Amino acid sequence: EAGVTQFPSHSVIEKGQTVTLRCDPISGHDNLYWYRRVMGKEIKFLLHFVKESKQDESGMPNNRFLAERTGGTYSTLKVQPAELEDSGVYFCASSQVVATGELFFGEGSRLTVL
Amino acid sequence: GQNIDQPTEMTATEGAIVQINCTYQTSGFNGLFWYQQHAGEAPTFLSYNVLDGLEEKGRFSSFLSRSKGYSYLLLKELQMKDSASYLCAVSSSGGYQKVTFGTGTKLQVIP
């Protein structure tokens, strides 16, 4: 069974540009999460989808970040325009069971904003 | 809000036992995860404690005390490949699962 896959694995862009990260969860997992880890800090929650609906987007830093999950399958996270402080590793995770499910993580997309 | 504390770094000797502590403060506690993350890789699930007590799984054990807001991960018979970051994460309720991570403990196993 394929795990959670993320693309790209690494992206280097200039301040002001746009980047779109993609996550393909494990097939059949209704729950999809985006997390971000900034250098030296903890993995921080960004948002949670249940199927195509945003269940919780309280962790989204600001309106430069837009996440979508049309059709309830893969998800995209767009950063527009990117700022220096957006650099970090963006992890996607999915789970099947709502209350107690193990989160399965992708390997992350490393974003470097110059 | 939620607050999770764990040591930043630890060093232990191959073959030894190491205990990584985690304390937390949260509302609506569901359970506590431990994840292992090797550099540049995805976090991988180790354990999930919901009730008080010790859960053993091979060389790894995890303990939880909900009244004290405390957990530990115990690694026995350490191997060099156990060098990694160990992430404590708390699952809280709200009608859905929200998992909050600590900063992680970087464990270095030395010969």
Side-chain angles (χ1 to χ4, degrees):
Chain A
E1 181 184 352
V4 177
T5 56
Q6 294 187 242
F7 182 83
S9 57
H10 193 184
S11 180
V12 181
I13 61 173
E14 293 188 349
K15 176 182 172 181
Q17 290 186 318
T18 298
V19 64
T20 300
L21 311 177
R22 172 173 170 143
C23 169
D24 287 79
I26 292 173
S27 178
H29 282 193
D30 288 343
N31 297 281
L32 186 149
Y33 307 80
W34 282 99
Y35 285 84
R36 176 173 74 172
R37 186 167 200 165
V38 173
M39 182 70 72
K41 300 287 183 71
E42 71 272 23
I43 295 176
K44 277 200 167 181
F45 170 84
L46 296 179
L47 88 160
H48 170 207
F49 283 100
V50 177
K51 296 185 180 179
E52 67 275 9
S53 300
K54 290 177 186 174
Q55 185 69 49
D56 180 358
E57 53 184 331
S58 61
M60 295 287 264
N62 50 61
N63 58 11
R64 294 185 294 103
F65 288 74
L66 174 65
E68 294 180 322
R69 193 183 181 193
T70 307
T73 54
Y74 71 91
S75 173
T76 58
L77 179 64
K78 180 191 286 188
V79 185
Q80 180 183 30
E83 298 289 343
L84 299 178
E85 64 265 25
D86 300 333
S87 295
V89 182
Y90 290 78
F91 288 101
C92 176
S94 70
S95 73
Q96 189 171 33
V97 177
V98 175
T100 60
E102 168 191 346
L103 297 184
F104 294 85
F105 280 84
E107 293 193 348
S109 290
R110 180 177 294 277
L111 173 64
T112 302
V113 182
L114 302 176
Chain B
Q2 295 175 332
N3 190 38
I4 301 172
D5 288 313
Q6 52 181 131
T8 305
E9 294 181 343
M10 297 182 73
T11 301
T13 306
E14 189 177 14
I17 299 173
V18 70
Q19 177 174 313
I20 302 174
N21 296 324
C22 172
T23 58
Y24 64 89
Q25 294 172 311
T26 187
S27 56
F29 178 82
N30 265 345
L32 188 142
F33 291 95
W34 283 97
Y35 279 83
Q36 179 192 60
Q37 186 178 23
H38 286 98
E41 297 182 8
T44 54
F45 173 83
L46 291 178
S47 66
Y48 182 55
N49 291 65
V50 177
L51 301 176
D52 289 352
L54 187 68
E55 298 266 351
E56 297 186 72
K57 192 185 293 185
R59 294 190 298 114
F60 292 9
S61 302
S62 57
F63 172 83
L64 175 67
S65 169
R66 290 173 299 172
S67 61
K68 295 181 180 178
Y70 168 69
S71 172
Y72 67 73
L73 179 69
L74 193 70
L75 291 77
K76 304 176 186 175
E77 301 169 15
L78 280 173
Q79 302 175 8
M80 299 299 291
K81 66 178 182 180
D82 297 330
S83 293
S85 286
Y86 291 85
L87 310 172
C88 174
V90 171
S91 174
S92 58
S93 63
Y96 55 89
Q97 179 186 36
K98 180 173 180 176
V99 179
T100 304
F101 284 83
T103 55
T105 299
K106 188 174 181 181
L107 173 66
Q108 183 181 16
V109 179
I110 58 176

